[in-house]
Amino acid sequence: MYRKNDSTWLKHWDFIILDMVMLQITYVISYMIRMGIQNPYKNELYLTIGVVIGVADVCVAFFTEPYHGIMRRGYFLEFNNVVRHVFIVAVLEVCYLFLTQNGEAFSRLSFVWFIIIAVLLLYIERIIWKHYLVHHKQLFYDKVKMVLLTTREEAVELVRNLNTNSFSEYEIAGIAYAGEEPEQNESVNGIPVVCSAEKLTEHIQTKWVDSVFVRVSDRTLLPKGILEKFIDMGITVHNCLQDIDGWTGNQYINRMGGYNVLTSSVRVVSSRQVVLKRLLDIVGGLIGLVLTGVITIFLGPAIYLSSPGPIFFSQTRVGKNGKRFKIYKFRSMYMDAEERKKELMERNEMQGLMFKIAADPRIIGSGPDGTKRGLGWFIRKTSLDEFPQFWNVLKGDMSLVGTRPPTEDEWQQYEPSHRARLAVKPGLTGIWQVSGRSDITDFEEVVKLDMKYVKNWNIGMDIKILLKTVGVVLTGSGSH
């Protein structure tokens, strides 16, 4: 799933916060110039106007997109943008004073000084911060892992242009040549040439890759159907606009690294949709962590007394587009559970690349044959083991709703069609979990359900799944 760059709320939140702070500093300075060394927020009217300025600034940021392309703007364009930003905030301030009939009580001189100083401070702040980000290559958002698909003749120019115009927005993980095999240990400007175009799908199958950037002037050099295959794998394709065949699906014209590209993905969503989903995750993560703390007080000692050892279990899982992360759970199994898994593989009730058995002797208190219902069974039946994953949600490794994160050994066995289920962040819950997960034993059915979620996702769907999850947990259906 690809986030369409139609909003800069997620990407440039640092500029938004700095502008907001600078406007408040400006407001205090402009007040003091007129009234002397006093606190403007002690005056009810001036306190209200301070709030209005903050709200107006947020509205300008949300509706006019003043930060779009901010890292590529020169000094003059930045000055114009700052003047426009401050002017709109000032207009909204005047509108409030007019509608509330408080214009006479507010200092006109203070208002004029506010505009002048705001333009000056915001401009200086943005220029300094941009210089800092470029010089230190500092990021406040996740890099995108990208592989380049190009020809040997075009590779040097492509890498140079992307590095010049990217501002560290993405990391080039490798290059694949169209039409020929690379030489052994070949590289372009320090970036390894990993394979030919024919072998690229196999190369990236089990690696962390978010997108493929394609610049091949001679389109006959591309293997037939390879770009569509990337999309089926859940990988976003940025295709340079030259001799492109007509496609259908989730795509839009984008500017990337100095090139105009047609960006295609299994699902394209707006930044506002992503913001709403992340806000939902943050709120849910915070609430979930509070509940986890309370549960730990009672459950922690019970786990330790039943099976001495850590009360939390951590394991490396595979997240969005192959990114590894540590998942956390309350431990519901004995300490040797992973070692004993190999012995129990022949009893696996899942058809495909997942492991689950109803009578699992590795569960705490289950007995030698796995049929006894002890503490581990209670933890899993009530889904209490999942609560520490709210930390993963808050960190951003997972989402409240998504797809199940596979283990590394499962991931290594995936087919290209399976990979697309991780085009989104893995979730605490998902369509599979609320569809009677104990009754679904075919991994291909799980993939179908996950792809239904990926291709049709919206916030309303997440809310419905969360509500259904509450019902599943309370009734204990669909779990062991």
Side-chain angles (χ1 to χ4, degrees), residues 173-332:
I175 301 171
Y177 283 157
E180 60 183 312
E181 291 283 342
E183 298 176 1
Q184 188 174 6
N185 299 323
E186 184 176 353
S187 64
V188 177
N189 291 347
I191 299 172
V193 182
V194 294
C195 62
S196 64
E198 287 78 6
K199 299 177 181 177
L200 186 54
T201 53
E202 180 182 350
H203 173 77
I204 65 180
Q205 171 63 27
T206 56
K207 291 180 173 59
W208 171 19
V209 175
D210 296 301
S211 62
V212 174
F213 190 102
V214 183
R215 190 192 180 196
V216 180
S217 298
D218 184 358
R219 311 299 285 188
T220 62
L221 297 176
L222 291 175
K224 185 177 180 181
I226 189 171
L227 304 186
E228 289 83 354
K229 193 169 187 177
F230 290 144
I231 295 173
D232 290 340
M233 293 172 71
I235 296 172
T236 298
V237 175
H238 304 291
N239 200 0
C240 279
L241 289 173
Q242 47 186 3
D243 304 322
I244 291 179
D245 299 329
W247 282 11
T248 59
N250 284 285
Q251 54 188 192
Y252 77 108
I253 305 299
N254 189 18
R255 181 125 181 115
M256 190 172 186
Y259 294 95
N260 291 319
V261 299
L262 179 68
T263 294
S264 305
S265 178
V266 66
R267 179 80 166 94
V268 176
V269 297
S270 70
S271 289
R272 288 182 176 85
Q273 289 176 299
V274 175
V275 169
L276 288 174
K277 185 174 178 65
R278 185 58 186 149
L279 287 175
L280 185 64
D281 287 344
I282 291 172
V283 173
L286 290 172
I287 295 173
L289 282 179
V290 172
L291 295 175
T292 302
V294 175
I295 293 170
T296 303
I297 296 173
F298 301 97
L299 193 58
I303 293 173
Y304 185 81
L305 291 173
S306 300
S307 174
I311 63 172
F312 295 105
F313 167 77
S314 68
Q315 184 184 50
T316 300
R317 292 290 183 97
V318 181
K320 183 180 179 182
N321 291 328
K323 183 177 181 180
R324 270 69 170 176
F325 70 99
K326 284 281 188 181
I327 197 172
Y328 300 96
K329 293 186 175 186
F330 281 119
R331 185 166 61 89
S332 61

Side-chain angles (χ1 to χ4, degrees), residues 37 71 88 115 206 260 262 295 451:
I37 308 300
M71 297 300 295
I88 297 175
I115 295 175
T206 56
N260 291 319
L262 179 68
I295 293 170
M451 290 310 301

Side-chain angles (χ1 to χ4, degrees), residues 375-438:
L375 177 65
W377 174 86
F378 172 78
I379 292 173
R380 294 163 71 87
K381 185 68 175 177
T382 56
S383 297
L384 290 176
D385 57 325
E386 310 286 353
F387 272 79
Q389 291 174 49
F390 281 110
W391 173 241
N392 291 114
V393 172
L394 199 60
K395 285 174 58 183
D397 296 327
M398 297 177 64
S399 180
L400 290 176
V401 182
T403 58
R404 174 189 173 273
T407 60
E408 288 193 287
D409 59 333
E410 292 171 355
W411 170 252
Q412 294 295 330
Q413 302 175 64
Y414 269 23
E415 299 293 333
S417 59
H418 301 152
R419 194 188 194 283
R421 64 184 296 271
L422 288 180
V424 297
K425 286 182 182 180
L428 267 173
T429 185
I431 288 184
W432 173 54
Q433 288 90 332
V434 299
S435 300
R437 61 188 186 272
S438 292

